[in-house]
Structure formats: C-alpha cells, structure tokens
Amino acid sequence: MSSSRKDNLGYLEHATEQIHALLEKKPARIAFVPYAGVTFSFDEYEGRVKPVFEQLGYSLSSIHHRNIDPCQAIEEADAIAVGGGNTFALLKRMYDANIVDLIRRKVRAGTPYIGWSAGSNVACPTICTTNDMPIVQPPTLRSLGLVPFQINPHFISGKPAGHNGESREERLAEFLHINAPETLIALSEGSALLCGDDAAKVLGERGALRFATDGSTVAIGENETFQFSSVKGPAGFSDWPDFTI
C-alpha cells in the first residue's frame, strides 16, 4: 500500500478492502513490525494499528515487546504487517533483529505480507526508491526482495509553485538512468498492489504509474494487472545480480 491514509480519512480507513483482498477475511494472527516509527514509541504505533485490524476480524501483536522473541513471533504468525515511517530506520532495525531472511523465507513459502509506505519499500529488492532521508545507515540497501521491481510510494506528480528542486519524476528518472533496466512502479496515495507469484493487480481508484528507463510513464488503472518474473525460483537472494547504487 502506498500510504496509511488517504485524503482526510482516518488511519488505514481507506484500506479495508485492500486488506481483505489479501487476508480474505480468514482468521489470522498478524505479526506487526513497528520499526519504521521514529518520533513516537512502538507501543503508540501498535496502538494505532491493532484496533484497525481487530475491527476487520484479525488479531495483531507487535514484535517489539520485551517478552516476545521477534524471530519466533514472525515464525509463528499467519501473516506479517510492516508499517510506514522512515525506511532506513526500518531496514536497519530489521537487520539488527535478524528477521530479514526469515520474513523473505516465510513470504516466499506463502505467508501473506502487507506493508504500507516504508513497509512497501522494504518489499522491493532495495530501498533505493524511498522518499525518506537516511537518518541511520543500514548494513546494506538490499531489502526483502519479495517482488522483483521497485516501488515509489506517496507518489505526487509535478512540484509546487516556487519549488526549484527536482520533481518526483526527475528523481525517479535519475534512479532508472543509473540502474537500468530496473522496473519501477509509482503508487499514489490510497493505491496498492495485490501481488502474487508473477503478477500484480492495482487496487485503488487512483491507479499506478509504470516508469520506463527513459523516464516516460504508462498508467495502470484500478483492477488492471501487470506481469513480472517470479521471485520464487530456486535461486537464493544472494544469487540476485548486484544493483548499482
């Protein structure tokens, strides 16, 4: 999911059907990863997220509590949710907790994964298309690699009057110029991707944009799908080609 909020709606209020589309309204114990939160406590973060999922019929517990082993919580979960915030802090803390390889293995084995904002960024091969500042330094920019393409959440086209810095399109064009032939999907607020083994459906009426290497874009509308190569083959993540960073 691109974001936890859309317009003036409440926290994850817009995402009810997006969450149900993945979890299918079946009872599920969700392990929540709050590590992207920086200016508020993990307890506060869980307090925002837990009631939303419980109202939808799912149980959720954060992995940060002292009496919880993060690895065991992930291992025993029926689904994994990773919240938004700062992507660099999120990835560093995930590596510190030794859950990166575990989440990757669980999801490739079929465990549903739901992320928003930074939680979507870490689902990509790298976090290179985040919008966040590197407030901490993870051991690497490689992330979960659950999908073989990059995501730019919170995408807003153009730039406000008086702003003389680069637009989001220009920044993403820089990434693609250096990292060709990467595939990049930009998600507007409220949009999401429902990903399977080799295809993704766009959710949300604002759709998505697929960026080409030359910076041109192709719009993908609500409920449209696009194909990609499966990431569940025999090759391990360490066998993926290096990324130019």
Side-chain angles (χ1 to χ4, degrees):
M1 297 188 293
S2 175
S3 54
S4 60
R5 290 184 174 88
K6 174 188 172 187
D7 300 332
N8 295 320
L9 296 175
Y11 195 82
L12 292 174
E13 187 177 347
H14 72 282
T16 294
E17 294 308 315
Q18 296 177 6
I19 294 170
H20 284 325
L22 179 66
L23 301 180
E24 299 178 336
K25 299 184 179 181
K26 298 176 182 178
R29 297 167 302 162
I30 301 172
F32 175 60
V33 180
Y35 294 161
V38 176
T39 58
F40 48 89
S41 72
F42 294 161
D43 284 341
E44 289 179 86
Y45 207 166
E46 183 183 36
R48 296 179 192 175
V49 178
K50 187 180 181 74
V52 175
F53 279 85
E54 289 185 342
Q55 187 175 8
L56 298 180
Y58 310 108
S59 63
L60 180 144
S61 295
S62 176
I63 67 171
H64 78 277
H65 296 289
R66 289 186 178 182
N67 63 334
I68 294 178
D69 174 10
C71 291
Q72 183 177 354
I74 295 293
E75 193 68 68
E76 296 177 351
D78 300 315
I80 300 164
V82 181
N86 184 275
T87 309
F88 292 90
L90 170 61
L91 187 60
K92 182 181 186 303
R93 290 163 172 169
M94 289 174 67
Y95 274 110
D96 289 346
N98 295 315
I99 62 173
V100 172
D101 290 338
L102 176 58
I103 292 177
R104 184 184 303 121
R105 185 172 71 251
K106 282 270 292 183
V107 176
R108 289 188 179 180
T111 299
Y113 174 98
I114 186 167
W116 50 95
S117 189
S120 294
N121 280 130
V122 296
C124 302
T126 76
I127 62 169
C128 291
T129 50
T130 179
N131 305 308
D132 299 334
M133 290 184 178
I135 60 173
V136 295
Q137 182 170 313
T140 175
L141 297 181
R142 287 176 179 265
S143 43
L144 294 170
L146 305 181
V147 294
F149 52 84
Q150 293 294 129
I151 294 171
N152 179 246
H154 302 287
F155 177 78
I156 298 176
S157 181
K159 49 189 174 183
H163 177 73
N164 295 311
E166 287 80 2
S167 66
R168 190 70 57 80
E169 288 95 337
E170 290 169 325
R171 287 302 191 197
L172 297 177
E174 290 174 344
F175 168 81
L176 289 167
H177 182 80
I178 295 292
N179 293 276
E182 282 295 293
T183 297
L184 172 61
I185 306 296
L187 296 176
S188 300
E189 303 288 72
S191 294
L193 299 176
L194 180 62
C195 300
D197 291 346
D198 55 13
K201 177 190 287 188
V202 176
L203 307 179
E205 70 274 10
R206 291 175 182 167
L209 289 176
R210 185 169 188 164
F211 276 74
T213 302
D214 64 1
S216 62
T217 61
V218 175
I220 311 173
E222 182 181 8
N223 293 324
E224 288 188 32
T225 62
F226 62 90
Q227 303 291 317
F228 54 82
S229 299
S230 174
V231 297
K232 297 183 70 174
F237 188 69
S238 61
D239 297 319
W240 282 36
D242 287 336
F243 294 89
T244 302
I245 299 173

